[in-house]
Amino acid sequence: MTQAEFCVHCGHPWAADHAACDNPRTALEPPRFCPHCARRMVVQITPTGWTARCSRHGETTG
């Protein structure tokens, strides 16, 4: 799999400043944006974990 090009919390390119994304609270949150295309993902949170689905790149679980 290729390296992520976009931040999964804000959707901006990795070249941008991500000080707000790099904190303990966001470390526990599921991704909201696809790391490959920056599209907003459909996220479902369950008591046992989460799933995030991109319309182009499929599903991620955690």
Side-chain angles (χ1 to χ4, degrees), residues 3-8 14 31 33-39 41 60:
Q3 183 179 1
E5 298 176 32
F6 299 95
C7 177
V8 297
W14 275 116
F33 294 89
C34 178
H36 306 291
C37 65
R39 288 179 183 263
M41 294 196 293
T60 305

Side-chain angles (χ1 to χ4, degrees), residues 1 4 8-9 11 14 16-18 26 28-29 31 35 39 41 43 53-54 56-57 62:
M1 185 169 269
V8 297
H9 298 293
W14 275 116
D17 180 32
H18 292 280
T26 57
L28 298 174
E29 291 184 359
R39 288 179 183 263
M41 294 196 293
V43 178
R53 187 178 71 242
C54 173
R56 289 199 176 174
H57 297 101

